[in-house]
Amino acid sequence: MASTQYSFTRNVDTHSRTDVVVIGGGPAGTAAAIAAARCGKTVALLEKSAQLGGMGTLANVSIFMPVGNVTGIYREIIAEMLAAFLPDGHDQSIAPQYSPFLLRQYLNEKMKKENVQTFFHSEFVGSVTEDRRLKAVVVSTREGLRAFEGGVFIDATGDARVAIDAGVPYHAGRESDGLTQPMTLMFTMQDTGKPVKQVLPEGCYFYHDVAELPQGRRLYWEQHGDGTLLVNMSRVKANGAKLADVNFAETEALRQVFSIAHYLQRTGFETYAIAHIAPQTGVRETNQIEGLYTLTERDVVDGARFADVVAQTNYEIDIHSPDAQKTTDERKVDGYDIPYRCMVPAAYDNLLVAGRAISATHVAMSSMRVQATCYALGQAAGAAAAIALDDGDAAKDVSMAKLHDILERQGVRFRVTTT
Ligand SMILES: Cc1cc2nc3c(=O)[nH]c(=O)nc-3n(C[C@H](O)[C@H](O)[C@H](O)COP(=O)(O)OP(=O)(O)OC[C@H]3O[C@@H](n4cnc5c(N)ncnc54)[C@H](O)[C@@H]3O)c2cc1C
């Protein structure tokens, strides 16, 4: 590893100033942008790729895992895009499979309707800070580097990229050895109605039986009823926020995808051809900030309730082996709250971190990481940002009574009330 350091100075033009700047357009970022805009704030949403939806579209995750409390903007998405899956009652879990292409289109239109200015191909590269505040983020755009100024910044990059750049303390992976959950390249196959030619490209593996598969199991969904098979069966030991790991993962995961497809074509899916491979290998876990409160395994297992609840879930503890062994640690949980403080870094007054990079231990993160929960956290962050601006408060001092009131007006319901 080279030890030379360079100092890099540039004059960067400001593109715009908005009340709220959201970095990252995944579940957390899109919901944060919508929630802040609904409070009357001007919002810039910066996304490094060409699409919104985060892992849900970019990595073709395309199934919403059940969280118990189907509420807020997440519920709205289901109602508007997948109404057939929505239960009448408020208290039933659903796990709808969706089209990542439709979600991508839906989110584009949604942002337009909600008056969110979305900037694609706009990748955060650095933060400009002054004392306890972020003044601007520097972003690599198709026009070169530009600064986006804002009143409150919401880091929804999934990797806490903004917070870490600004010096917020963080940790990654298992407390024992720092290993994160493995990466997976999702793909779909399509029933062609006739036997397909089986191809095993150079560099791929011939799997003889289930035990040889990367996860030691078959894991796929066929909910569309149209011959589409969504496959989640590759597994690569890698931290998606590390250069060398990602380089390895992007090649190894593709090898596995072709090898798995070949295996499936020999064992029950003889008429299925690969239809789509996600443009990037999915990242489950990278960095967690250290916030005012850290969600723990105990909270998840004991069903902790918090006065500053912002999201509720009963999604299981779900840890794909960080060593990339053929095991998955799955443990049912009854349901718990996630407190607002998990999104608040102590060192800054106008920065929130929403989505999978909140302050949580490795085990707690494995349960809170699914999309519905990230939408809920994002929505709360967006509403909190608006309150902070209206009241001139630091993020840590936002009134929970006001936050709960706004969330309720935005359709959020908490099923277990706290005292
Ligand atoms: C293989 C796999 C399977 C999964 N299965 C399921 C499942 O079945 N159901 C489920 O509900 N969840 C599942 N998950 C989990 C879920 O998809 C993610 O945890 C969730 O999408 C996290 O949301 P997020 O908004 O925090 O981050 P992400 O979805 O990671 O979104 C972050 C966004 O920020 C953008 N970004 C990153 N860095 C920058 C930057 N520097 N500048 C600008 N933009 C940036 C990214 O491009 C991305 O759009 C799975 C995840 C993986 C990887």
Side-chain angles (χ1 to χ4, degrees), residues 213 215 217-221 230-233 284 320:
L213 294 170
Q215 297 190 23
R217 64 177 176 179
R218 299 165 72 107
L219 185 63
Y220 42 69
W221 292 268
L230 172 67
V231 187
N232 175 343
M233 287 170 60
R284 290 192 176 81
H320 294 236

Side-chain angles (χ1 to χ4, degrees), residues 23-29 46-49 51 53-56 58 61 63-65 122-124 156-159 161 184 186 221 232 282-284 354-357 369-372 374:
I23 308 101
L46 310 173
E47 166 54 43
K48 75 173 174 184
S49 74
Q51 46 189 299
M55 291 301 110
L58 279 170
V61 162
I63 188 157
F64 291 119
M65 282 292 131
S122 295
E123 177 164 11
F124 165 85
T157 60
D159 301 329
R161 190 52 56 217
T184 290
M186 303 283 292
W221 292 268
N232 175 343
V283 178
R284 290 192 176 81
R356 65 181 162 84
R369 69 191 169 91
V370 295
Q371 295 176 84
C374 291

Side-chain angles (χ1 to χ4, degrees), residues 220-271:
Y220 42 69
W221 292 268
E222 298 175 88
Q223 284 183 15
H224 289 310
D226 63 356
T228 311
L229 188 72
L230 172 67
V231 187
N232 175 343
M233 287 170 60
S234 62
R235 173 173 287 179
V236 182
K237 179 179 174 180
N239 176 336
K242 287 192 192 274
L243 262 179
D245 284 20
V246 171
N247 287 346
F248 171 64
E250 291 295 2
T251 50
E252 173 57 19
L254 189 59
R255 271 191 208 120
Q256 291 185 10
V257 161
F258 281 108
S259 311
I260 290 161
H262 190 255
Y263 171 82
L264 291 173
Q265 287 166 340
R266 285 182 280 118
T267 57
F269 293 96
E270 288 76 4
T271 56

Side-chain angles (χ1 to χ4, degrees), residues 14 41 57 77 97 117 121-122 149 199 207 209 213 216 218 223 250 258 271:
T14 296
K41 303 303 167 205
T57 52
I77 293 172
Q97 188 182 343
Q117 296 179 63
H121 301 293
S122 295
E149 297 177 342
V199 181
Y207 298 126
D209 52 35
L213 294 170
R218 299 165 72 107
Q223 284 183 15
E250 291 295 2
F258 281 108
T271 56

Side-chain angles (χ1 to χ4, degrees), residues 34 89 94 129 143 160 215 254-255 298 317 336 358 368 374 405:
I34 293 169
I94 49 172
T129 62
E143 296 179 5
Q215 297 190 23
L254 189 59
R255 271 191 208 120
R298 195 100 313 281
I317 289 170
Y336 61 95
I358 64 164
M368 62 63 54
C374 291
D405 182 47

